[in-house]
Amino acid sequence: MCSWTAADSDMVVKNRLVGFLLWQSVLSSLIFLAFTLTIVSWRSFTAIFISFFSFHLSQLLFSLSLSTILSPQPKFRRISPVLLAVAAVSGSLSTVSLCGVDGSVGFKGFASGLLYACFYIYKRRWVLLFPIIQRPLFFSFKMGIPSAIARALKLSAAAYLFSALLLVFLPHDFSTDLELGNVFARHIISYAAGFSVFLCWELTHHLHQVLHTKRFMFAPPKGSAAAETNPSEPLLAALEETSPASLLKYLAYLDLCMVCENNVDYWRRAAFFEETGETYKRVAAVCLRPLEQLASKLVQGLEGSPDDKTYLISDQLQSSTNRQNSKCSELMNDFQIYTWSARAIASLTAHSRKEDRFGVAQLSSSNAAVISTLIASLLAVEMLMGKKISLQPSQNLMGAFGTKSATFSAGRRDVRAGKRRGDPLYAKAYAMADVLRTSIYCIVSAFHQEMLASAKAGLLEKDWIASGKPPFGTRELLLQKLHLFLDFQAS
């Protein structure tokens, strides 16, 4: 049996880092040559070669610093001083390489580097943002070039004004140097150099994002012996054995989600439904575990009790808003993992209706566990959004599809919920709720007839709600919410 080892993880990261550095050197060369041929074409060949080498050295220093701080999680690694120092040194060396040795030019580059590092930290740009649609590398990179140019123009203008303002406070002897020669031409060259450096940094950042968020297939080559015997083991090993905040963990969940949702790798999804059922149980476990943790920890973070039948978020927020927001923000650091987990297990469950030849999903009671976990997670996220979640008395009224109509009321929202929608935490909460609803509807649509039959026979709770204690709420609360989904009234 093959196993995912630390050497395999290191190889994936190493290959991507090497590819990033190679392509970054190509970008730096093109930008340097464009600047040299259009702005300072009067230099000698030796001076150009030395400048080219120093410019590449400065960009390599900046690229390596990016590789050390970029992470899939928003939690910063507390190395702001390092990034500030590296960006300042890289900016100073880059501008000197482009414009020649000059004290004022080096200082402007130093100030530009500090400004860019502050902007980078303030905008939390160290977070790897995975694209919604996976495109070929060339097209993904091409799409970000216009925004990189626009941002470089704005940053170079801001940095030029910032450095000029700082020069006012420098000693008089140093400032008079700026008035020698053609002042207008020197200002143009200085601004062009700043734009070239910022453009190089922006394209480097975009290239790093594109290369490191590209899907990696955790599977043996199709047609090999490993692909015929146990093609799921590398993916499951990466999901189970890698550290929670590592890039490999995120790439593994991305690969799992794409296998479950798309039909391109049908042979890999079919391997999940092998006869023993062990592979399916492991896949379900790695998908449901993050969602269960989300639901249970949200309750703890909001100081709620999952045993109560009524949850009033507004009262909790009035007492300890800041502390609760901090706890919930930490939970939402894994937002991408939660969304991939929900989408993957929902798609896999829906596909199991036609592709599960051995019935492993039903025999292992995974379908009930999936529905219960998804609904419990949705209720917990809705509580975070400010909804009043209450258990209402059942009424023997028939819904639009012949089910017993559930009287589930979202109730009155927190009066401050509308004001919080601009907050990143609540923006993620609303997005997470949409993903969970879509995932539940995906399963309900696939098993609608079976669920309707269970509801008419009074077996909906037995067949589709897990027997154990849910991570949030009660089984009755989950059943009422499921009735709303059956009538396509959940919102």
Side-chain angles (χ1 to χ4, degrees), residues 275-277 280-281 356-367:
E275 187 174 2
T276 65
Y280 188 87
K281 292 179 182 178
D356 186 6
R357 297 176 300 168
F358 303 104
V360 295
Q362 187 173 1
L363 293 176
S364 62
S365 301
S366 295
N367 289 351

Side-chain angles (χ1 to χ4, degrees), residues 81-144:
V82 176
L83 179 61
L84 289 170
V86 170
V89 173
S90 176
S92 179
L93 184 58
S94 297
T95 52
V96 169
S97 301
L98 294 174
C99 300
V101 180
D102 187 286
S104 62
V105 170
F107 176 79
K108 287 184 177 181
F110 185 88
S112 299
L114 287 178
L115 179 66
Y116 188 80
C118 293
F119 170 78
Y120 204 90
I121 295 172
Y122 176 73
K123 290 293 185 179
R124 298 158 60 93
R125 301 186 71 195
W126 68 84
V127 182
L128 288 172
L129 302 177
F130 288 82
I132 298 176
I133 300 175
Q134 288 281 325
R135 298 180 177 88
L137 289 177
F138 173 76
F139 293 102
S140 297
F141 180 74
K142 184 180 70 173
M143 291 178 62

Side-chain angles (χ1 to χ4, degrees), residues 31 81 145 209 222 274 408 442:
I31 292 175
I145 293 179
Q209 290 273 347
K222 192 174 182 180
E274 50 87 19
F408 186 95
C442 177

Side-chain angles (χ1 to χ4, degrees), residues 386-406:
K387 286 188 176 181
K388 173 187 174 183
I389 301 174
S390 57
L391 181 64
Q392 302 293 334
S394 299
Q395 298 178 5
N396 294 324
L397 300 176
M398 302 305 291
F401 293 95
T403 65
K404 290 184 178 180
S405 179

Side-chain angles (χ1 to χ4, degrees), residues 22 29 50 53 58 96 113 158 189 297 334 340 352 371 419 423:
L22 288 175
S29 300
I50 296 175
F53 178 78
S58 66
V96 169
I189 294 175
K297 290 184 179 180
D334 291 322
W340 282 333
S352 70
I371 284 290
K419 299 180 180 180
D423 191 296

Side-chain angles (χ1 to χ4, degrees), residues 40-93:
V40 289
S41 56
W42 44 265
R43 284 188 183 180
S44 64
F45 177 79
T46 304
I48 291 177
F49 178 79
I50 296 175
S51 299
F52 179 79
F53 178 78
S54 61
F55 184 78
H56 266 285
L57 180 62
S58 66
Q59 295 304 316
L60 177 63
L61 181 64
F62 180 78
S63 300
L64 290 176
S65 68
L66 285 190
S67 299
T68 59
I69 67 171
L70 286 179
S71 169
Q73 283 200 344
K75 189 175 181 180
F76 196 49
R77 299 185 178 182
R78 299 178 181 272
I79 52 174
S80 303
V82 176
L83 179 61
L84 289 170
V86 170
V89 173
S90 176
S92 179
L93 184 58

Side-chain angles (χ1 to χ4, degrees), residues 21-328:
L21 294 177
L22 288 175
W23 283 109
Q24 183 274 331
S25 65
V26 174
L27 291 175
S28 301
S29 300
L30 293 176
I31 292 175
F32 179 85
L33 291 176
F35 179 86
T36 301
L37 295 176
T38 57
I39 304 297
V40 289
S41 56
W42 44 265
R43 284 188 183 180
S44 64
F45 177 79
T46 304
I48 291 177
F49 178 79
I50 296 175
S51 299
F52 179 79
F53 178 78
S54 61
F55 184 78
H56 266 285
L57 180 62
S58 66
Q59 295 304 316
L60 177 63
L61 181 64
F62 180 78
S63 300
L64 290 176
S65 68
L66 285 190
S67 299
T68 59
I69 67 171
L70 286 179
S71 169
Q73 283 200 344
K75 189 175 181 180
F76 196 49
R77 299 185 178 182
R78 299 178 181 272
I79 52 174
S80 303
V82 176
L83 179 61
L84 289 170
V86 170
V89 173
S90 176
S92 179
L93 184 58
S94 297
T95 52
V96 169
S97 301
L98 294 174
C99 300
V101 180
D102 187 286
S104 62
V105 170
F107 176 79
K108 287 184 177 181
F110 185 88
S112 299
L114 287 178
L115 179 66
Y116 188 80
C118 293
F119 170 78
Y120 204 90
I121 295 172
Y122 176 73
K123 290 293 185 179
R124 298 158 60 93
R125 301 186 71 195
W126 68 84
V127 182
L128 288 172
L129 302 177
F130 288 82
I132 298 176
I133 300 175
Q134 288 281 325
R135 298 180 177 88
L137 289 177
F138 173 76
F139 293 102
S140 297
F141 180 74
K142 184 180 70 173
M143 291 178 62
I145 293 179
S147 60
I149 295 175
R151 191 175 292 112
L153 285 170
K154 296 177 182 178
L155 287 171
S156 57
Y160 184 82
L161 295 175
F162 175 66
S163 59
L165 181 63
L166 291 180
L167 284 173
V168 174
F169 300 98
L170 291 178
H172 180 73
D173 292 340
F174 185 76
S175 299
T176 54
D177 247 1
L178 296 174
E179 300 177 0
L180 299 177
N182 192 329
V183 177
F184 183 72
R186 293 185 63 132
H187 280 291
I188 292 179
I189 294 175
S190 178
Y191 180 83
F195 170 74
S196 299
V197 173
F198 279 119
L199 179 61
C200 198
W201 287 345
E202 282 296 308
L203 291 178
T204 298
H205 166 76
H206 178 56
L207 178 65
H208 197 287
Q209 290 273 347
V210 169
L211 290 177
H212 285 75
T213 57
K214 178 179 170 57
R215 178 192 180 187
F216 178 80
M217 296 182 63
F218 293 82
K222 192 174 182 180
S224 63
E228 297 294 333
T229 56
N230 195 1
S232 305
E233 185 60 29
L235 174 59
L236 291 173
L239 289 167
E240 295 170 346
E241 299 172 10
T242 53
S243 59
S246 65
L247 176 61
L248 265 297
K249 176 76 75 175
Y250 278 71
L251 292 175
Y253 271 102
L254 171 61
D255 187 41
L256 174 63
C257 183
M258 297 190 70
V259 169
C260 294
E261 288 186 335
N262 305 327
N263 293 324
V264 177
D265 300 318
Y266 173 79
W267 64 280
R268 295 182 60 193
R269 190 171 67 217
F272 293 158
F273 302 108
E274 50 87 19
E275 187 174 2
T276 65
E278 291 302 318
T279 301
Y280 188 87
K281 292 179 182 178
R282 292 173 66 185
V283 172
V286 296
C287 290
L288 295 181
R289 190 179 302 116
L291 298 175
E292 292 171 351
Q293 293 174 354
L294 170 65
S296 59
K297 290 184 179 180
L298 271 180
V299 177
Q300 299 173 8
L302 294 169
E303 298 182 350
S305 172
D307 295 325
D308 295 337
K309 292 187 177 182
T310 302
Y311 307 91
L312 298 177
I313 184 64
S314 57
D315 294 338
Q316 298 165 359
L317 289 175
Q318 290 175 359
S319 60
S320 54
T321 302
N322 294 334
R323 178 166 53 88
Q324 292 163 354
N325 284 353
S326 176
K327 292 181 180 179
C328 295

